[in-house]
Amino acid sequence: MKEGQVDARFRGGSPDMRKGAEKGHAAGLSVALTFLSAGPVIILIALVVILTFSVPNFFTPRNISNILAQIAVIAVVALGQHLVILTRGIDLSVGANLALATVLGALMYRVTDTAFVVMATMLLAGAAVGAVNGLVYVYGRLPHPFIITLATLSIARGLALELSIGHTTMRGMPATITVIGGGTSFAVPNSFFVVLAVAALMFVIARYMVWGRWIYAVGGQPDAARRMGIPVNQVIVSTYLISGLCCGVGAILLSGRTEAGSPLYGNLLELDTIAAVIIGGASFLGGRGHLGHALVGAVMIGVIRNALNLLNVNLYFQLIAIGVIIVMAVESDVLRNHLEARMRVKQAGTQG
Amino acid sequence: MKEGQVDARFRGGSPDMRKGAEKGHAAGLSVALTFLSAGPVIILIALVVILTFSVPNFFTPRNISNILAQIAVIAVVALGQHLVILTRGIDLSVGANLALATVLGALMYRVTDTAFVVMATMLLAGAAVGAVNGLVYVYGRLPHPFIITLATLSIARGLALELSIGHTTMRGMPATITVIGGGTSFAVPNSFFVVLAVAALMFVIARYMVWGRWIYAVGGQPDAARRMGIPVNQVIVSTYLISGLCCGVGAILLSGRTEAGSPLYGNLLELDTIAAVIIGGASFLGGRGHLGHALVGAVMIGVIRNALNLLNVNLYFQLIAIGVIIVMAVESDVLRNHLEARMRVKQAGTQG
Amino acid sequence: MTKPVLEVRSAHKRFGAVHALKGIGLMAYRGEVLALLGDNGAGKSTLIKCVSGVHELDEGDILIDGDKVLIHNPAAARSAGIETVYQDLALFDNLTPAENFYCGRELSFPRWLPRCARFLATRQMDSEAAAVIDRLKVKLPGFDAQVALMSGGQRQAIAVARAAVFARKVVILDEPTAALGLRESRKVLNLIAQLRDEGNAVILITHNMEHVVELADRAVVLRQGHKVGEIEKPNRSNQQDLVAMIVGAE
Amino acid sequence: MTKPVLEVRSAHKRFGAVHALKGIGLMAYRGEVLALLGDNGAGKSTLIKCVSGVHELDEGDILIDGDKVLIHNPAAARSAGIETVYQDLALFDNLTPAENFYCGRELSFPRWLPRCARFLATRQMDSEAAAVIDRLKVKLPGFDAQVALMSGGQRQAIAVARAAVFARKVVILDEPTAALGLRESRKVLNLIAQLRDEGNAVILITHNMEHVVELADRAVVLRQGHKVGEIEKPNRSNQQDLVAMIVGAE
Amino acid sequence: ADVKLGFITKFPVPFFATMENAAKAYAAANPGVEIIYGQGASATDVEGQIALIESMSTQGVQGIAITPVDPTVASALDKAIASGVKVVLMDNSIPGWDKAAALATTDNYNAGKIAGQYLKSVLSAGDTLGILEGVPGVPALDDRVKGMLEGLGGLTVEVVGRSGTNCTEELGISVAEDLLTANPDLKAIYAACGPPAAGAARAIKNAGIAPDKVVLVGFDFCCGEEEALTAGVEDATVAQFPAKMAELGVDALVRAISGEDVPSLIDSGAALVTLENMSDFK
Ligand SMILES: Nc1ncnc2c1ncn2[C@@H]1O[C@H](COP(=O)(O)OP(=O)(O)OP(=O)(O)O)[C@@H](O)[C@H]1O
Ligand SMILES: Nc1ncnc2c1ncn2[C@@H]1O[C@H](COP(=O)(O)OP(=O)(O)OP(=O)(O)O)[C@@H](O)[C@H]1O
Ligand SMILES: [Mg+2]
Ligand SMILES: [Mg+2]
């Protein structure tokens, strides 16, 4: 908002910028700065530390494993959502998309119990809805993706309800999917490894591949991207496609965890994933933000919900507490950013 | 998206721009242009004409009166939402805010049955939540209003539930409120007159008052607004406050219509109102768009839902149909815009 | 010499690791054009942004008519009588030229209401803005078109005209002719002269030596955040000294 | 005379009611600097935007090396060998200078993959971009800082350098020195000379007559969308004619 | 057709689909009856139901059978009644509103009691109980919890958790997992609707707890509870008879329109379902 703030935000946003000033100098400041510049992660760590000491059973292997399983779906879908937000877009359809994918997967399971085919069905379904979002938005020259993704939210939910036999939860998933979505390895949920794998893949794309660079360019300055010959339309469509694909992955995880497909899955997932991205510290401005943000945000949401459940906080009060804690988390990150900026000035001063 | 499109959008967005070129010239073109430049309204009219001929009972006084009553809440809240969107913001809390206001109103009714006090309670409650949104966003220097309004969504819903504990129903409203929200005058719902009054007031503010000009300035170029000495923070806070106040008005209308308060009211109202604003043709870019847009969008949504109900389309298929029709409506407006731009070029050509 | 209307004393400003101003002092007098020169990145824009309230100084003072003032936001600067034409113009793309003109200082009525609650005197603003634009002889594609669609020069002309209308004490222009054609440049230079003659202190940032020689009564040169020199009455003969100062001893 | 590498024939362009180009023709030859002059709003930027694919012409043809080509997007123009420095620079505020340099034409490997799926040759791009920036002697606050925080001049320098790196046939510069200091302006002028000597056709839009006289081999003047004149070898003696053409008979 | 009726259900879950199908069967069996159908979008879609009531009146129905999602649809029903439409409520009543011709319902409170009585029979004093609530604020679902607590009838159990699940399986799993983490020795879980009951069963399985260590009681007998009962993770659930409820409700409506007297309360009943008697309820 304020002009002075811009600097801080940019600095927070780009890991590249930090390298510049970090050579030699007053050790204490430097340590504090390295710490502060870790960004929203330290807010998360602080949160975890507080909860560990105040909530019984919180920091136990079993509970950690639970949390990881609980956030897997939000995290995967938030990664896709983040790509869309990087290009100044928004994908409201993620929840309905995921539900439709699980229903189609469950239907396919009635035809064949080959895990591969069922998984492919879910991925394809997710990607298809994403592609519709992207294509209609870009080639329909709509003013904003809000409309089309709101429309596919409605359409996908309707389709999922219509297609699901008896309009209900459809039991049954191939064993492989159940293992992926519900199993654990070394006491860690398999779904968490899937999240890590998707995140790693996205990170490589965003950071080391031409296409990722284009996403940032399109998000940063769409006009300039077009003038530099970047296929802006295709890049935008691709982000919606990937977001849809992530819904497909989320569908595999969720239907594996519940051994079922259901048209009611993914309710309000759009708000959760957008919140995760923003809490993680990304910006609606486009072209700014690290994919890790989405993960941090998703974990933060999961940790808060879990702790409130463990504390047996009354249902209505949970709603209030979640709201308050989320604002506090984001606000601490804002303050952290300011502190960092101020210390950086001080550091520069000591260097002369 | 495309650069060429920018012109068309600006032209669509601002009624001021149109005056320039409209003097003399080939009559046919001119008539067509006047028609086209009416904007999303003509899409709405086209929709109504189609529905009149295809849906029995649609264009009957009673049904029209029903539609007007059904959209009143969305329309009033969408007007406030529009102000927020004009400053590049978003208010996700509107639905929960409205629910909380109806609950507080119903509780106040248990204390006193003076309509004035109950109404004042609802308006104050709405404005208070809005003020929290604005103040925390601006003075907490949050990067985006998404977070704080999502948080107050959660908090207000939780508070409303918490407050209504122990009351199986919150039925009962003072007679005046019932008349305002549920009565009719000359076969037209009174709530519709309230919508018109709020819209007229907002129109005067936005168009003829200094404060309205500042809203457009802040939305257009926040940095420049600050440099020109506009109290940007206060202007932003005020839009959230007004949005909250509109929720209070919506609460009066809804609780008058249902003669009750409920913590469940206003579910997904945030998506409906944002959709209304965007369907009406406003832009997320900030500083662009006519307040009438929000009304047109709300009516469009109401008309579509009503027609689907009259046609007895089943819920699943309704979800699909609503999605499709909304995209089609927005897409027709995009095409209308292009047609208008092209005809304008042609018209300029004929003038030499 | 008379008292300076604006004085800056040992101003320091840092952006993170960048030390943009390193103890700069400056005086501007009424009825005089002060040229502020320096190569790209010298700190010119930063200095004037501090004076006009966009940034706050880390150290140093700003004095107006000899009194220390705290300028912590642009509104304060404007009400202290400092008008600025920013390098990035600070125009509202979504408004018309007339609306841009008066933005933040709308003519309005009735007087007894608080500012924000008053009604806009639209007609009066339109006609006054039209008169100024007319005086500057700028051609606009349509007076009620949005600024977004105007050419770079047209935009610059609007920004300069805006500052001229409200000038009271100090007018700062950050490269006002950079995007202007010959005709428009000439008009702006005439306007600057006029502002000076009306008793304003004009601070002109420019890279154009012709304009400096033609208009400036004094020139201050910045280099890498330092003030490296000051020349009275720049003219053809000491122009080379100025250039040497700007470019630095090489 | 040799064949023009770029030719525009009777170009028309309208924006709504504004007729920005009214039948303009233009030729540019290799090894020559063509100055495109005209007052604000004359249509210069519109013309070159049509050539570089940002806008499409309503009527008229564009010929490259004598062949009619359809330039319906900027990628087409770039691959036809036309590089452009836009008046608004078209930089990415969220990227570093090196990333800006190669944006849209990243160096990448392995070659057999489709472009978008390749990996970025980051190190190579960084060092090559650094070399160019070095050659232009632009001082940047840090080579891995985001462009958003750089001064107007630094930004302009980056945009010009970017075009220089990829120049193959035609280089168009829309007021490249408008925001530049003396030293940087000089560097850009030298660069333009160098681009010309390397056999490019350079089209230079500027309001600075000094630069025209110093560099241009030919000057074309636009006024209100018309081409009103063309002068070979502009110099001190016919400079007045040029100015008269630009400003129009008054 | 002789009579035209509106049939409005709450939101898309199998329970209401079953009701709708029963109504369709009724219409098929009685050629003089034409029914048009409507459904709200979610468990909190009050405005949607109101719009449906209004548009059905517009279409000239003579009667409306409705499962009111919230007491506050009453004033819309008032208007319909004022224009000569008969109303029958199904599934749950509207407290303090007595203009309905009849109410066909499973009394959710009584049905909750059945679950409570079962729990009383297997738990002992001081045992821990976790509750997975339905949608916060929906009276019918709240009643299921209140009734269960009443059904425990003096047995003092320690309620160690009450969380909302929005009647979804996803939240059911998460909340049940957290319950089990916070209370490793948890004795019993009660879920107020079907999907979270299935979710709780999965959470127990995932936690590697022996199926007989935790008593799991659900409600609705749907959405995966069958499998959970078969697997022995879920111990009991309460079934309603939606088809019967719908049939009785529509029948009462038709009779009320033709001027007959109908009983004002029609209980379609509820029953405890366990592994043994499960096959009777499919
Ligand atoms: N908001 C900011 N954040 C960080 N650094 C900044 C900021 N604004 C300016 N700088 C840096 O401060 C230095 C001085 O910049 P300034 O804009 O004052 O230069 P200038 O003299 O106006 O140059 P030009 O003639 O190119 O406009 C530059 O190195 C610039 O990168
Ligand atoms: N996208 C657009 N939409 C509408 N009108 C436009 C658009 N772009 C330019 N114009 C108009 O076309 C005319 C020519 O503008 P252009 O930018 O080509 O001028 P220019 O010669 O580059 O001027 P300058 O020297 O100020 O940059 C102007 O009147 C301008 O307002
Ligand atoms: Mg500057
Ligand atoms: Mg131009």
Side-chain angles (χ1 to χ4, degrees):
Chain A
M1 291 310 321
K2 265 211 170 179
E3 292 203 15
Q5 219 179 314
V6 174
D7 325 347
R9 182 158 52 199
F10 287 165
R11 199 163 298 117
S14 149
D16 306 309
M17 284 215 47
R18 293 189 200 113
K19 291 178 227 154
E22 289 178 8
K23 292 162 205 150
H25 39 49
L29 256 180
S30 156
V31 171
L33 256 173
T34 320
F35 178 67
L36 278 178
S37 67
V41 176
I42 65 155
I43 308 295
L44 176 59
I45 293 174
L47 192 66
V48 168
V49 169
I50 295 173
L51 292 177
T52 303
F53 286 102
S54 57
V55 180
N57 294 314
F58 178 79
F59 205 74
T60 58
R62 167 130 165 250
N63 193 47
I64 300 294
S65 161
N66 278 349
I67 295 179
L68 294 181
Q70 285 163 12
I71 58 144
V73 172
I74 295 187
V76 163
V77 179
L79 283 167
Q81 183 77 263
H82 196 170
L83 281 192
V84 170
I85 289 179
L86 271 181
T87 59
R88 307 187 178 196
I90 195 165
D91 188 350
L92 296 177
S93 69
V94 287
N97 187 353
L98 179 142
L100 178 59
T102 64
V103 167
L104 289 174
L107 283 175
M108 186 51 80
Y109 178 61
R110 274 151 185 66
V111 178
T112 165
D113 63 355
T114 319
F116 172 77
V117 176
V118 176
M119 288 189 344
T121 307
M122 295 202 241
L123 293 175
L124 271 179
V129 174
V132 169
N133 283 335
L135 291 172
V136 174
Y137 167 43
V138 167
Y139 295 102
R141 289 184 284 193
L142 296 180
H144 198 275
F146 188 93
I147 292 295
I148 176 62
T149 58
L150 182 64
T152 47
L153 182 169
S154 186
I155 295 172
R157 188 73 73 189
L159 265 180
L161 283 164
E162 188 69 43
L163 289 176
S164 61
I165 296 168
H167 312 300
T168 177
T169 316
M170 300 167 68
R171 294 277 135 199
M173 277 291 151
T176 316
I177 294 184
T178 325
V179 170
I180 294 176
T184 59
S185 312
F186 321 108
V188 176
N190 292 335
S191 52
F192 180 65
F193 294 113
V194 175
V195 173
L196 282 189
V198 173
L201 190 69
M202 298 266 247
F203 182 75
V204 170
I205 292 176
R207 194 71 173 255
Y208 297 109
M209 277 174 57
V210 172
W211 179 63
R213 173 64 48 81
W214 287 356
I215 291 178
Y216 276 85
V218 169
Q221 220 81 42
D223 275 7
R226 203 177 297 279
R227 296 198 195 164
M228 290 304 117
I230 292 174
V232 175
N233 288 347
Q234 284 90 320
V235 169
I236 290 179
V237 171
S238 76
T239 60
Y240 288 89
L241 194 118
I242 296 283
S243 174
L245 210 52
C246 286
C247 294
V249 176
I252 294 176
L253 296 184
L254 186 57
S255 59
R257 187 151 187 252
T258 59
E259 268 185 70
S262 163
L264 301 180
Y265 285 164
N267 195 28
L268 296 188
L269 190 58
E270 62 278 8
L271 288 185
D272 277 349
T273 51
I274 299 172
V277 172
I278 303 296
I279 291 172
S283 152
F284 271 129
L285 273 183
R288 296 179 173 97
H290 191 283
L291 282 172
H293 291 335
L295 283 188
V296 172
V299 175
M300 221 182 276
I301 293 179
V303 164
I304 295 172
R305 293 217 175 119
N306 171 273
L308 289 173
N309 279 340
L310 289 186
L311 285 174
N312 188 18
V313 173
N314 139 355
L315 180 58
Y316 308 147
F317 193 69
Q318 273 206 22
L319 284 173
I320 302 175
I322 288 180
V324 172
I325 296 176
I326 283 183
V327 170
M328 275 169 43
V330 174
E331 185 63 42
S332 348
D333 193 49
V334 170
L335 295 178
R336 184 200 56 71
N337 244 322
H338 280 260
L339 195 63
E340 188 190 341
R342 194 155 315 158
M343 289 180 75
R344 218 167 267 290
V345 171
K346 214 165 165 191
Q347 187 188 42
T350 62
Q351 287 171 71
Chain B
M1 293 312 320
K2 264 213 170 176
E3 294 204 15
Q5 219 178 315
V6 174
D7 324 347
R9 184 159 49 198
F10 287 166
R11 200 163 296 120
S14 148
D16 306 308
M17 285 216 46
R18 291 187 204 117
K19 291 177 226 153
E22 288 179 8
K23 296 162 201 149
H25 38 50
L29 256 179
S30 157
V31 171
L33 258 173
T34 320
F35 179 65
L36 279 177
S37 66
V41 176
I42 65 156
I43 308 294
L44 176 60
I45 293 174
L47 192 66
V48 168
V49 169
I50 294 172
L51 292 177
T52 302
F53 285 105
S54 57
V55 179
N57 294 317
F58 178 79
F59 205 76
T60 58
R62 166 122 172 259
N63 193 49
I64 298 295
S65 161
N66 278 348
I67 295 179
L68 293 180
Q70 284 161 12
I71 58 145
V73 173
I74 295 186
V76 163
V77 179
L79 283 168
Q81 183 77 263
H82 196 170
L83 282 192
V84 170
I85 289 179
L86 270 181
T87 59
R88 306 189 178 195
I90 195 165
D91 188 350
L92 295 178
S93 70
V94 288
N97 187 355
L98 179 142
L100 178 60
T102 65
V103 167
L104 288 174
L107 287 177
M108 185 51 79
Y109 178 62
R110 275 151 186 65
V111 178
T112 166
D113 64 353
T114 321
F116 172 76
V117 176
V118 176
M119 289 191 338
T121 308
M122 296 201 242
L123 292 177
L124 271 180
V129 174
V132 169
N133 284 336
L135 291 172
V136 175
Y137 167 44
V138 166
Y139 295 103
R141 289 183 285 194
L142 297 180
H144 199 274
F146 189 93
I147 293 295
I148 175 61
T149 58
L150 183 64
T152 47
L153 183 167
S154 186
I155 295 171
R157 187 74 72 188
L159 266 181
L161 285 163
E162 184 74 38
L163 289 174
S164 59
I165 281 179
H167 304 269
T168 33
T169 167
M170 310 273 264
R171 282 178 61 76
M173 277 292 153
T176 317
I177 295 185
T178 324
V179 171
I180 294 176
T184 57
S185 312
F186 321 107
V188 176
N190 292 334
S191 52
F192 180 65
F193 294 114
V194 175
V195 173
L196 283 189
V198 173
L201 190 68
M202 297 266 248
F203 181 76
V204 170
I205 292 176
R207 194 69 172 255
Y208 297 109
M209 276 172 60
V210 172
W211 178 64
R213 173 64 49 80
W214 286 356
I215 290 179
Y216 276 86
V218 169
Q221 221 81 43
D223 275 7
R226 203 177 297 279
R227 296 198 195 163
M228 290 304 117
I230 292 174
V232 175
N233 289 346
Q234 285 90 320
V235 169
I236 291 179
V237 171
S238 75
T239 59
Y240 288 89
L241 192 117
I242 295 283
S243 174
L245 209 53
C246 286
C247 295
V249 176
I252 294 176
L253 296 184
L254 186 56
S255 60
R257 185 152 185 252
T258 59
E259 270 183 70
S262 164
L264 301 183
Y265 284 163
N267 193 32
L268 296 189
L269 189 59
E270 62 279 8
L271 288 185
D272 276 351
T273 51
I274 300 172
V277 172
I278 304 295
I279 291 172
S283 153
F284 272 127
L285 274 184
R288 297 182 172 96
H290 190 284
L291 282 172
H293 292 334
L295 283 188
V296 173
V299 175
M300 220 183 274
I301 292 179
V303 164
I304 294 171
R305 293 220 175 117
N306 171 275
L308 290 172
N309 278 342
L310 288 185
L311 287 172
N312 294 317
V313 175
N314 95 31
L315 174 70
Y316 315 144
F317 192 69
Q318 272 204 25
L319 287 172
I320 301 175
I322 288 179
V324 171
I325 296 176
I326 284 182
V327 171
M328 275 169 44
V330 175
E331 185 63 42
S332 347
D333 192 47
V334 170
L335 295 178
R336 184 199 58 70
N337 245 320
H338 279 261
L339 195 64
E340 189 191 342
R342 192 155 315 157
M343 288 180 77
R344 219 166 267 289
V345 171
K346 213 165 165 190
Q347 188 188 42
T350 62
Q351 288 173 69
Chain C
M1 216 170 192
T2 59
K3 226 172 51 177
V5 60
L6 171 75
E7 183 175 356
V8 179
R9 286 191 190 151
S10 56
H12 279 268
K13 179 73 193 172
R14 286 203 178 83
F15 297 107
V18 180
H19 200 159
L21 300 181
K22 303 170 183 161
I24 291 190
L26 192 81
M27 297 191 193
Y29 299 90
R30 280 185 180 278
E32 160 194 281
V33 174
L34 170 67
L36 189 57
L37 308 177
D39 244 327
N40 294 128
K44 309 180 294 296
S45 295
T46 304
L47 179 60
I48 64 97
K49 278 186 187 165
C50 289
V51 171
S52 48
V54 175
H55 298 315
E56 270 184 277
L57 283 177
D58 292 335
E59 290 166 46
D61 298 312
I62 296 172
L63 294 83
I64 295 199
D65 290 328
D67 300 326
K68 255 192 218 181
V69 289
L70 272 180
I71 298 187
H72 44 273
N73 65 40
R78 282 188 118 186
S79 68
I82 302 175
E83 278 300 317
T84 311
V85 179
Y86 295 94
Q87 200 167 3
D88 62 6
L89 304 185
L91 292 179
F92 300 92
D93 277 350
N94 56 331
L95 301 181
T96 65
E99 290 168 354
N100 262 286
F101 254 66
Y102 286 94
C103 208
R105 269 178 309 203
E106 287 80 3
L107 303 179
S108 53
F109 61 90
R111 294 235 136 204
W112 48 270
L113 278 173
R115 276 278 297 294
C116 64
R118 291 187 203 152
F119 288 89
L120 295 164
T122 314
R123 192 115 11 118
Q124 192 187 350
M125 288 195 279
D126 277 359
S127 67
E128 292 194 11
V132 180
I133 291 280
D134 225 49
R135 212 172 74 203
L136 287 174
K137 298 212 179 62
V138 186
K139 272 210 192 67
L140 298 183
F143 199 65
D144 47 9
Q146 285 176 338
V147 168
L149 301 182
M150 304 203 176
S151 80
Q154 293 164 334
R155 296 165 60 87
Q156 189 106 37
I158 292 170
V160 174
R162 174 173 63 181
V165 179
F166 294 100
R168 278 192 5 251
K169 260 185 199 161
V170 182
V171 182
I172 303 175
L173 303 101
D174 196 351
E175 309 194 18
T177 59
L180 295 190
L182 296 175
R183 194 207 304 247
E184 278 87 355
S185 286
R186 177 56 34 216
K187 284 180 215 144
V188 169
L189 296 180
N190 292 344
L191 189 69
I192 292 174
Q194 188 183 331
L195 287 168
R196 176 197 58 200
D197 296 343
E198 286 167 0
N200 293 291
V202 179
I203 300 180
L204 173 67
I205 301 182
T206 181
H207 294 299
N208 190 319
M209 282 301 134
E210 296 294 313
H211 296 171
V212 174
V213 169
E214 178 182 338
L215 266 180
D217 299 298
R218 219 150 37 89
V220 167
V221 180
L222 305 188
R223 198 165 66 233
Q224 294 177 21
H226 293 287
K227 176 168 159 188
V228 291
E230 183 165 342
I231 286 193
E232 297 280 336
K233 308 269 165 229
N235 54 38
R236 298 263 165 231
S237 53
N238 56 20
Q239 184 176 351
Q240 281 319 309
D241 303 347
L242 262 184
V243 173
M245 264 190 228
I246 293 170
V247 177
E250 275 184 282
Chain D
M1 217 171 193
T2 58
K3 227 172 51 178
V5 60
L6 171 75
E7 183 176 354
V8 178
R9 287 191 190 152
S10 56
H12 278 270
K13 179 72 192 172
R14 284 203 180 83
F15 297 107
V18 180
H19 201 160
L21 300 181
K22 302 168 182 163
I24 290 190
L26 191 81
M27 295 190 194
Y29 298 89
R30 280 183 180 279
E32 159 193 283
V33 174
L34 170 67
L36 190 57
L37 308 177
D39 244 326
N40 294 129
K44 307 181 295 296
S45 295
T46 304
L47 178 60
I48 65 97
K49 279 187 186 163
C50 290
V51 172
S52 48
V54 175
H55 296 316
E56 270 185 276
L57 284 177
D58 292 336
E59 289 167 46
D61 299 312
I62 295 172
L63 293 83
I64 293 199
D65 291 327
D67 300 325
K68 256 191 216 181
V69 289
L70 271 181
I71 299 187
H72 44 273
N73 65 39
R78 281 189 120 187
S79 69
I82 301 174
E83 278 300 318
T84 311
V85 179
Y86 294 95
Q87 199 167 2
D88 61 7
L89 303 184
L91 291 179
F92 300 93
D93 276 349
N94 56 330
L95 302 181
T96 66
E99 291 169 354
N100 262 286
F101 253 68
Y102 286 95
C103 207
R105 268 175 312 200
E106 288 79 4
L107 302 180
S108 55
F109 61 89
R111 296 233 135 206
W112 48 268
L113 277 172
R115 277 278 297 294
C116 64
R118 292 186 204 154
F119 288 88
L120 295 164
T122 313
R123 193 120 5 123
Q124 192 186 350
M125 287 195 282
D126 276 359
S127 67
E128 292 195 10
V132 181
I133 291 280
D134 225 48
R135 211 172 74 203
L136 288 173
K137 297 212 177 61
V138 185
K139 275 212 191 63
L140 298 183
F143 199 65
D144 48 9
Q146 287 176 340
V147 168
L149 302 182
M150 304 203 176
S151 79
Q154 293 163 334
R155 295 165 60 87
Q156 188 107 36
I158 293 170
V160 174
R162 173 172 65 181
V165 179
F166 294 101
R168 281 195 1 253
K169 259 184 201 162
V170 181
V171 182
I172 303 175
L173 303 101
D174 196 350
E175 310 194 18
T177 59
L180 294 191
L182 296 175
R183 193 207 306 247
E184 280 86 355
S185 284
R186 177 55 36 216
K187 285 180 214 144
V188 169
L189 296 180
N190 292 344
L191 190 70
I192 291 174
Q194 188 183 331
L195 287 168
R196 176 198 56 202
D197 296 342
E198 285 167 3
N200 292 291
V202 178
I203 300 180
L204 173 66
I205 301 181
T206 181
H207 293 299
N208 189 320
M209 282 300 135
E210 296 295 313
H211 297 173
V212 174
V213 169
E214 177 182 340
L215 267 180
D217 299 297
R218 218 149 38 88
V220 167
V221 179
L222 305 188
R223 198 164 68 233
Q224 294 176 22
H226 291 287
K227 177 167 158 186
V228 292
E230 185 165 341
I231 286 195
E232 297 282 333
K233 308 270 165 227
N235 53 40
R236 299 263 165 229
S237 55
N238 56 21
Q239 185 177 349
Q240 281 320 308
D241 301 349
L242 261 183
V243 172
M245 262 191 227
I246 293 170
V247 178
E250 276 185 279
Chain E
D2 308 334
V3 266
K4 188 170 174 185
L5 307 179
F7 190 89
I8 304 176
T9 46
K10 285 181 188 166
F11 47 90
V13 288
F15 186 86
F16 297 111
T18 311
M19 286 185 71
E20 214 174 277
N21 289 336
K24 280 178 186 155
Y26 183 93
N30 297 274
V33 177
E34 182 197 348
I35 305 184
I36 55 181
Y37 302 89
Q39 192 170 57
S42 75
T44 57
D45 189 14
V46 185
E47 288 102 317
Q49 276 205 341
I50 292 176
L52 280 168
I53 294 168
E54 285 170 352
S55 64
M56 285 192 173
S57 308
T58 310
Q59 292 173 78
V61 296
Q62 287 137 286
I64 292 178
I66 181 172
T67 61
V69 70
D70 189 79
T72 60
V73 299
S75 55
L77 291 175
D78 280 341
K79 269 180 224 143
I81 289 172
S83 66
V85 175
K86 290 266 189 286
V87 172
V88 165
L89 302 182
M90 299 175 297
D91 197 25
N92 53 269
S93 71
I94 299 177
W97 189 78
D98 54 8
K99 297 188 193 142
L103 167 67
T105 182
T106 300
D107 188 328
N108 278 295
Y109 186 79
N110 285 334
K113 258 195 201 160
I114 296 177
Q117 281 151 6
Y118 174 81
L119 282 168
K120 186 181 180 184
S121 72
V122 293
L123 297 181
S124 44
D127 278 349
T128 48
L129 168 67
I131 300 175
L132 307 185
E133 303 223 25
V135 184
V138 173
L141 297 174
D142 291 346
D143 278 350
R144 296 176 182 183
V145 177
K146 287 183 200 151
M148 183 276 295
L149 292 172
E150 173 70 26
L152 285 171
L155 181 72
T156 47
V157 298
E158 187 192 346
V159 177
V160 292
R162 283 179 81 154
S163 289
T165 61
N166 285 337
C167 281
T168 64
E169 187 170 350
E170 296 148 284
L171 269 176
I173 298 186
S174 299
V175 171
E177 276 176 354
D178 294 343
L179 261 177
L180 291 167
T181 308
N183 311 281
D185 54 350
L186 190 71
K187 276 278 144 39
I189 297 178
Y190 173 63
C193 21
R202 184 150 302 279
I204 293 172
K205 224 169 102 186
N206 286 353
I209 297 173
D212 51 358
K213 248 197 84 185
V214 181
V215 179
L216 174 61
V217 177
F219 203 109
D220 276 350
F221 189 50
C222 77
C223 324
E225 288 188 83
E226 191 184 328
E227 290 84 344
L229 283 164
T230 313
V233 186
E234 188 169 345
D235 298 84
T237 185
V238 179
Q240 307 181 65
F241 304 99
K244 200 164 143 200
M245 190 190 292
E247 192 191 322
L248 291 174
V250 172
D251 188 57
L253 184 58
V254 171
R255 284 195 283 133
I257 291 170
S258 63
E260 289 177 44
D261 269 347
V262 289
S264 61
L265 181 69
I266 305 164
D267 192 352
S268 54
L272 191 76
V273 183
T274 58
L275 184 57
E276 290 74 48
N277 67 358
M278 196 169 92
S279 48
D280 306 343
F281 290 89
K282 281 186 196 157

